[in-house]
Every structure is written in structure tokens, then in C-alpha cells.
Amino acid sequence: MLSLTPQEWTAVALSLRVALVSTVAALPLGIAIALLLARKQFWGKALIDGLVHLPLVLPPVVTGYLLLITLGRKAPVGAFLAEHFGIVFSFRWTGAALACGVMAFPLMVRAIRLSIEAVDRRLEDAAATLGASPLWNFATVTLPLALPGVVAGMMLAFARALGEFGATITFVSNIPGETQTISAAIYTLTQVPEGDSAALGLVVIALLISLAALMASEWLARRANARLHGI
Amino acid sequence: MLSVEIEKRLGDFVLQAAFETASGATALFGPSGAGKTSLANAIAGLLTPDRGRIRLAGETLFDSQAGIDMPAWRRRIGYVFQEGRLFPHLSVRHNLNYGRWMNGLAADAKTFTRVVELLDLGRLLDRRPGNLSGGERQRVAVGRALLMQPRLLLLDEPLASLDAARKADIFPYLERLRDEARVPIVYVSHDVAEVRRMATQIIVMDQGRIVNQGGLELLARQSANRAGTVLDDPERL
């Protein structure tokens, strides 16, 4: 059942890489935006909130298309990035990671924001009286106390990235070895005769990865919680 | 030592306070709702007054006219809260060291040991706040505030959450602290007996205002009245 061709294994490896890279790369920005939304009152907050959540409600194909017309090679921003920084997203695995990151971002921000809002601000006040500057206060009190939420946010983002299809295939297409993730590979296999058994193999792999990720995050969250509640 | 002259409106409540403390322990005394904690928060930098001045040992912490408002984390005022507020994710030892780390103070085993002995924290060092009793928690909170080497120690009803037996347990520690630590103390309380044991100077508050200040002789009149009510307020007579 798991006799996959090298090309299919490549898709599995690529999927893992894309999901991992998109999650890790989105994390700092996700924490920053979550903190901003949880703690600051400012003009345009509703707009930021809306923009962050947009990928959740837009059809993924639309998100992918928007990425294509802004970051594609011939699009203004994409051309600028390629010319001045040598950064190219379109039809590269990095583009797949970007698309996944964008799609997963609202879930990540939401989980982290909720956990930051749940942090007892009186503990932050206590830290301030003990000499913690705002940055240290965040690093030593807020973030550790919000850690279960951060873990949950990363998990959701990873899962979302692993399952991403529409935005990725629209933005970076379905190139074996470069942008063909598990989802795209399964889709391709279902389009050809005799692709069924290979598709099933990939489905099993996807299932195993998802289950492992879920269990890992549950374990991490439990550990983080135990640390917080002082045993 | 500490000189305060501030005004702060909080909804319908107006906090208006002007006083100076000498060295030693000063009690902020009054019924709950008198504005004692708000005043303590203003001194610590957790509440910004609408106007006025706060000076500590010659340094201006707050001055609305001069536009000075030193943030809490630069004030070096040790604050012991009613509910302890220990960091649940850190061991007792790390809670105690937190202020030293944040203020970039060098490790000082002698001071650490002295405070640990003063408050009898030796057995607790490797435990987490989650499994300490209320009295133990407050002792750790006092030690944590003390170990940041504060210029002033604010104790906001540190015994309020404890039952009578626990209070009796912890009080000797506070008295030793007052006599040995040589940090000026502001002790917030609504309890006549606590204030009598702890303070040398008393500031009586009610409804956001200071209604009387002086020495321990104020308590003679206070305890003659019903405990917890402040009848020295001319407006209420």
C-alpha cells in the first residue's frame, strides 16, 4: 500500500517542508499581530482584524489569484522583489509556503490572540514593578503564559498548511518536485487512470502526518499547561 | 522620603491625596473603598494621576506640570499585592530572583540567604506557586519585592487574603522586615490591630481623601469607634 514512487515521496517531503516553513515563518508576525489586536486600541484596528481574517472567508482560489497578481513575476511587487532582493515566489516551493502561510494566518492569530487575552494582566503589572521593561515583560511573563495558545496556533497553522490546495495550486501551480504537495499530488493521481492505489497511499500518509501532529500538539499543550499551573 | 500630592478621577470616585512620609513604616489606613489601593498604584506607577507630583528620596517620579511620568519598571518600588501575584510558571527561587534579573543586579548570595532566612523560605525554593499555601505565597511575594532592592516597599493589605491563624504566622516576619530591612515601608490596611503593630506614622483615608494624619495616637480614637469606620472625617459628623 505504501509503495510510493520517488515522485510521490517528493510530494510528501515537500508538503512537510512547506507546512513547517510556512508555520515557523508566520509565527513571529502572528504573535506580533495577535499582541497588537489583543492589547492595543488604535485607529483602523477593525480593518487590520478584517484583513487578517480575509483568507478564512475568501475562496482559496481567490486568495491564490490575489497572490499571483501581486507577487507573480510580472506583477509589480513580485517584479520589485525579484529585481532588488532576488526573491521569487511564483512557481517555487517558497511561493507554496507563502500561500499556505497566508491561508493559515487567521487561525494562528486567532488562537494566539485568545491566549494573550486570557493572560492575567495583574501579573504583568507585578513584573513591571519588579523592573521588567515592556519587552522583557512580554518575553518573561506574557509569552510563557500564552504558550499553550501559541502551540495550538502553530498546530492549526501546520494542519491548514498541510491541507492547503486552492490557493497554492492557483499561485504556484502543480509542478512535481517544486510545488506539488500531497494534496496536489492526490488531485493529479485521481485525474489519471490507475492512479487510485497511489492516491490511497498518499491519503494514508496524510492521515498519519495529521494524526501525529495532533498528538504532538496535545502533548505539548499539556506540558505547557502543567508548567503554568505550577507542578 | 516619599512626598505625594495627586488627584485622580476614576468615574464618580475622586482620589485626592497629599502627604509626606518619614523613614520607617507609614500606614495608609481606612475602610475598603477609601482609595488606598489606587493611591498605592499611583505611587508604584501602575495608575497615572490626572495631576500632581510624586517624589521619592529627592527624585521626581511623577509631575504633571513638568510632564514627568516615570514608568513603573524604572521606579524601583517593591510592591506586595493583596493576592501575591507570583509568577505561576516560575519556581519560587526564580520568582525571588526575578527583580534582580530585570534590574540587572549582580548575584548576591549573602542578600539572598538573608532574605530567605528572614522570611523562612528555604524549604519552598524549588516549589511552584501553584502548590503553596496563602501564607507561604505572601511570604514569597514579600521576599520577591525585597530582593529587587527597592527604594520603597509598598505592602497592600498583604494579610487580607489570610485567615487569623495565618495572619498571626506571618506578622512576625513583617515586623522583622520593618526592623531589619531598612527600606521605608508604606503599609496599606483597614485593620487597626495590624496598623498598630506595623506603623509609626498613620495616614487616614476615606472616600478618596486623606482625613487625618499623624502618629499612633490616632488609633486610640479610631479603636474607640467601630473598627473599620472612620469617624474623624469632619464632613461625616
Side-chain angles (χ1 to χ4, degrees):
Chain A
M1 185 178 71
L2 286 183
S3 57
L4 299 179
T5 64
Q7 189 187 325
E8 285 149 14
W9 279 116
T10 307
V12 172
L14 185 74
S15 262
L16 285 174
R17 179 162 55 161
V18 163
L20 211 65
V21 166
S22 71
T23 303
V24 171
L27 189 63
L29 188 63
I31 291 175
I33 298 275
L35 186 68
L36 200 69
L37 292 175
R39 287 297 166 76
K40 300 280 185 233
Q41 295 303 325
F42 54 93
W43 192 88
K45 181 173 171 174
L47 185 69
I48 301 271
D49 202 12
L51 281 175
V52 165
H53 280 94
L54 215 49
L56 204 59
V57 289
L58 277 178
V61 176
V62 173
T63 304
Y65 188 71
L66 285 172
L67 285 171
L68 192 62
I69 60 173
T70 47
L71 291 167
R73 209 142 197 188
K74 291 186 181 143
V77 182
F80 177 84
L81 285 176
E83 196 169 315
H84 294 272
F85 302 98
I87 300 172
V88 178
F89 288 113
S90 53
F91 306 111
R92 300 274 175 88
W93 75 270
T94 47
L98 180 72
C100 290
V102 169
M103 292 303 292
F105 201 61
L107 296 169
M108 178 185 266
V109 168
R110 210 174 175 77
I112 299 175
R113 175 187 180 171
L114 285 174
S115 67
I116 289 178
E117 282 172 347
V119 170
D120 187 349
R121 304 201 65 174
R122 296 175 310 169
L123 291 175
E124 294 170 1
D125 281 349
T129 66
L130 288 162
S133 65
L135 205 64
W136 276 113
N137 207 324
F138 176 74
T140 60
V141 178
T142 319
L143 194 58
L145 290 175
L147 204 59
V150 174
V151 171
M154 287 182 74
M155 169 62 208
L156 284 169
F158 182 81
R160 187 74 191 82
L162 212 55
E164 218 304 304
F165 179 73
T168 308
I169 207 163
T170 313
F171 182 36
V172 294
S173 183
N174 185 0
I175 307 163
E178 185 68 39
T179 66
Q180 189 178 71
T181 57
I182 294 181
S183 310
I186 293 172
Y187 171 74
T188 305
L189 287 168
T190 58
Q191 299 302 300
V192 296
E194 284 133 36
D196 280 356
S197 71
L200 195 63
L202 282 175
V203 165
V204 170
I205 299 259
L207 215 94
L208 290 177
I209 293 173
S210 305
L211 200 63
L214 258 176
M215 283 164 66
S217 97
E218 190 61 31
W219 179 77
L220 276 172
R222 244 209 318 274
R223 255 187 56 142
N225 248 319
R227 271 180 62 93
L228 294 191
H229 298 107
I231 338 277
Chain B
M1 199 71 244
L2 173 70
S3 120
V4 175
E5 188 193 337
I6 55 160
E7 224 183 287
K8 172 77 178 178
R9 179 176 282 279
L10 297 156
D12 286 339
F13 183 85
V14 179
L15 175 70
Q16 200 171 30
F19 65 90
E20 283 188 31
T21 71
S23 55
T26 305
L28 281 181
F29 175 70
S32 41
K36 305 186 295 293
T37 296
S38 299
L39 185 52
N41 283 341
I43 294 168
L46 299 178
L47 179 75
T48 308
D50 297 331
R51 62 190 147 266
R53 282 178 300 111
I54 301 173
R55 293 170 65 81
L56 176 63
E59 190 183 6
T60 303
L61 304 183
F62 179 81
D63 189 332
S64 56
Q65 269 180 351
I68 298 171
D69 183 9
M70 188 187 283
W73 59 277
R74 287 193 205 269
R75 291 193 184 192
R76 282 293 274 280
I77 294 180
Y79 198 153
V80 178
F81 301 89
Q82 272 182 48
E83 351 70 80
R85 302 197 196 178
L86 299 181
F87 303 124
H89 56 302
L90 301 179
S91 67
V92 167
R93 187 191 300 278
H94 289 169
N95 266 281
L96 290 172
N97 278 323
Y98 189 86
R100 179 169 68 73
W101 291 330
M102 289 302 131
N103 288 288
L105 305 174
D108 178 354
K110 235 172 72 184
T111 310
F112 187 82
T113 310
R114 191 172 57 80
V115 170
V116 165
E117 278 172 9
L118 175 76
L119 296 162
D120 197 10
L121 301 173
R123 286 178 308 108
L124 310 178
L125 288 177
D126 295 316
R127 285 166 63 181
R128 292 298 193 88
N131 56 25
L132 298 183
S133 72
E136 289 169 336
R137 253 177 243 175
Q138 285 307 72
R139 264 154 51 208
V140 175
V142 171
R144 184 178 69 171
L146 208 53
L147 279 167
M148 72 176 287
Q149 300 181 15
R151 300 187 292 176
L152 173 76
L153 204 52
L154 276 174
L155 302 167
D156 182 11
E157 306 253 13
L159 309 181
S161 59
L162 309 178
D163 58 38
R166 288 273 153 235
K167 278 184 195 176
D169 280 350
I170 197 174
F171 221 100
Y173 295 113
L174 295 181
E175 287 175 316
R176 266 163 79 183
L177 172 73
R178 177 196 60 198
D179 299 335
E180 292 175 23
R182 292 183 190 169
V183 183
I185 291 174
V186 171
Y187 191 91
V188 176
S189 180
H190 65 275
D191 186 301
V192 177
E194 276 179 32
V195 169
R196 178 175 289 123
R197 279 180 74 170
M198 206 51 206
T200 46
Q201 186 190 354
I202 298 169
I203 292 159
V204 184
M205 293 188 73
D206 192 23
Q207 298 185 330
R209 286 162 191 275
I210 290 174
V211 293
N212 211 337
Q213 44 187 314
L216 279 173
E217 74 278 358
L218 286 179
L219 289 179
R221 271 184 288 163
Q222 208 64 54
S223 49
N225 301 319
R226 269 185 305 135
T229 58
V230 182
L231 296 176
D232 294 56
D233 182 355
E235 287 166 28
R236 293 173 104 197
L237 289 175

